[in-house]
Amino acid sequence: MELKAKSIKLFCSVVETGSLLSAANLNAMSTPAASRAIGQLEERIGYRLFDRSSKTLTLTDEGRAFYRVAKESVQAWKILEEFPEKSRAKKKELRIAVLARHCSDVIIPSVVRILKKHERTMQVTMDMHQSRDIHYSKYSHPFDVGFGTLLSNHDDLQKVALAHLRFRLVVPITNPLAALDSVTVNDYKNENFILLAADKLERDYVAGLHPELRPDQVSAELSSTQVALRFVKRGVGVHITDELAAKSVSDDCKAIPLKSSFTIPFFVFWPTNKKELDIETRECIQEVAHSIEAAGVEITPEGRALYAELEKGK
């Protein structure tokens, strides 16, 4: 039985929507036809892609491995389909991946400077990735370069820590803690907290900075740092985040330094199969490094070494 592109696309749609019905609709198929196609695909490759022991469609270990290759294949096919139109395009595309918490105050100003410099010859595609989802989303949204606190392991990405970010406790300006210049865990141990969702890598990473919270101290669990800061603004709790993400706090809040040497790395990363970084990518990395320094954060020795290497390549 031949592997068909339509079956592979359907499989990827099921994974990404979590629903056979939604995937069938996206691929202009009936649900029974889609179910048969998935069954035939499993028969062709010789193992189950989904665990059907519950009502939800959950990938098996083999299914997860197959999805990574399948998604690359679908993306490659899409590139082939779009090749005639893309080849006629006048502007070069710079594809940037961003872990969203640092987008507003670090990445966007840097990208705008690059765009203004190359506005006649370049366009930018920027995708916001959730750190918990980037294992999948990096295949559906390929990129030339990415930035952020990439805490998970990726053997297909090369990454360099540009900075190690200290942490801030963000509180409403009306909170008595706002009068302090720095805080320890004992200062905020009785506050109500806005936490990142339990499956967010950043939450586990900063767990040691949180007090031992009682259930009644947790006001909300959210998947977005920026949304958490908006909750703080409205006076429903406090939130711990890194010093660059804290740049976006409103005038209604204060970001107080923690008396802790603990930091989180801010990475630049790109695909390992990218043999050479083009001039626009190199300039983008350098501009982001400028933005980090302008925010008062020191660039790491490895970040400076990368900067010097990029300068030589110009």
Side-chain angles (χ1 to χ4, degrees), residues 263-280:
T263 61
I264 189 170
F266 178 95
F267 291 104
V268 55
F269 49 92
W270 61 89
T272 54
N273 61 9
K274 195 175 180 66
K275 302 301 182 184
E276 185 177 351
L277 299 178
D278 56 36
I279 186 169
E280 293 84 4

Side-chain angles (χ1 to χ4, degrees), residues 19-290:
S19 164
L20 186 64
L21 174 61
S22 298
N25 290 337
L26 285 173
N27 290 270
M29 301 172 68
S30 68
T31 303
S35 181
R36 285 194 300 272
I38 294 297
Q40 290 168 354
L41 177 60
E42 290 178 322
E43 181 181 348
R44 168 64 180 82
I45 62 178
Y47 50 74
R48 290 286 187 183
L49 296 169
F50 295 99
D51 181 356
R52 295 174 173 81
S53 61
S54 64
K55 293 183 179 180
T56 59
L57 287 172
T58 305
L59 282 172
T60 61
D61 290 342
E62 293 87 355
R64 280 189 288 272
F66 186 75
Y67 174 74
R68 295 182 66 176
V69 180
K71 193 59 187 179
E72 286 183 322
S73 301
V74 170
Q75 190 62 40
W77 187 257
K78 183 179 179 182
I79 292 172
L80 284 174
E81 290 178 329
E82 295 176 349
F83 182 79
E85 182 180 349
K86 291 282 187 180
S87 64
R88 291 190 293 268
K90 293 182 179 180
K91 289 188 174 183
K92 185 175 182 178
E93 185 179 27
L94 175 61
R95 302 169 302 173
I96 303 171
V98 179
L99 299 178
R101 62 198 290 160
H102 302 113
C103 190
S104 298
D105 295 280
V106 178
I107 311 301
I108 289 178
S110 305
V111 173
V112 167
R113 290 193 291 270
I114 295 292
L115 271 175
K116 287 182 176 179
K117 184 175 181 180
H118 299 283
E119 61 183 342
R120 293 184 179 274
T121 58
M122 188 185 79
Q123 71 175 51
V124 166
T125 299
M126 183 181 292
D127 287 302
M128 304 297 110
H129 295 255
Q130 290 278 357
S131 58
R132 64 186 178 188
D133 300 327
I134 195 169
H135 272 292
Y136 294 140
S137 61
K138 67 183 176 185
Y139 296 111
S140 55
H141 301 284
F143 53 85
D144 301 303
V145 65
F147 300 96
T149 49
L150 186 67
L151 301 178
S152 51
N153 294 320
H154 300 263
D155 55 11
D156 54 349
L157 296 178
Q158 183 170 340
K159 61 182 184 180
V160 175
L162 291 179
H164 293 289
L165 309 177
R166 295 183 181 276
F167 286 91
R168 301 286 185 264
L169 178 74
V170 182
V171 303
I173 202 69
T174 54
N175 189 307
L177 291 174
L180 301 179
D181 294 325
S182 61
V183 290
T184 66
V185 173
N186 283 333
D187 293 319
Y188 55 80
K189 65 181 181 181
N190 294 317
E191 296 293 321
N192 291 330
F193 268 79
I194 308 296
L195 299 178
L196 290 180
D199 63 340
K200 293 282 285 184
L201 296 174
E202 291 88 346
R203 173 161 164 177
D204 283 342
Y205 194 84
V206 304
L209 297 175
H210 287 98
E212 188 173 343
L213 294 173
R214 305 183 308 274
D216 64 295
Q217 286 181 268
V218 179
S219 297
E221 296 188 15
L222 309 166
S223 64
S224 165
T225 296
Q226 297 306 314
V227 175
L229 296 179
R230 288 181 172 87
F231 270 64
V232 173
K233 176 181 178 179
R234 286 161 175 79
V236 293
V238 302
H239 181 68
I240 293 176
T241 190
D242 68 75
E243 59 188 319
L244 285 184
K247 289 287 181 182
S248 61
V249 301
S250 67
D251 292 339
D252 301 319
C253 300
K254 182 178 178 182
I256 312 167
L258 270 64
K259 292 179 181 176
S260 170
S261 59
F262 187 65
T263 61
I264 189 170
F266 178 95
F267 291 104
V268 55
F269 49 92
W270 61 89
T272 54
N273 61 9
K274 195 175 180 66
K275 302 301 182 184
E276 185 177 351
L277 299 178
D278 56 36
I279 186 169
E280 293 84 4
T281 300
R282 294 198 301 268
E283 289 178 353
C284 190
I285 294 172
Q286 291 173 316
E287 287 293 348
V288 170
H290 287 321

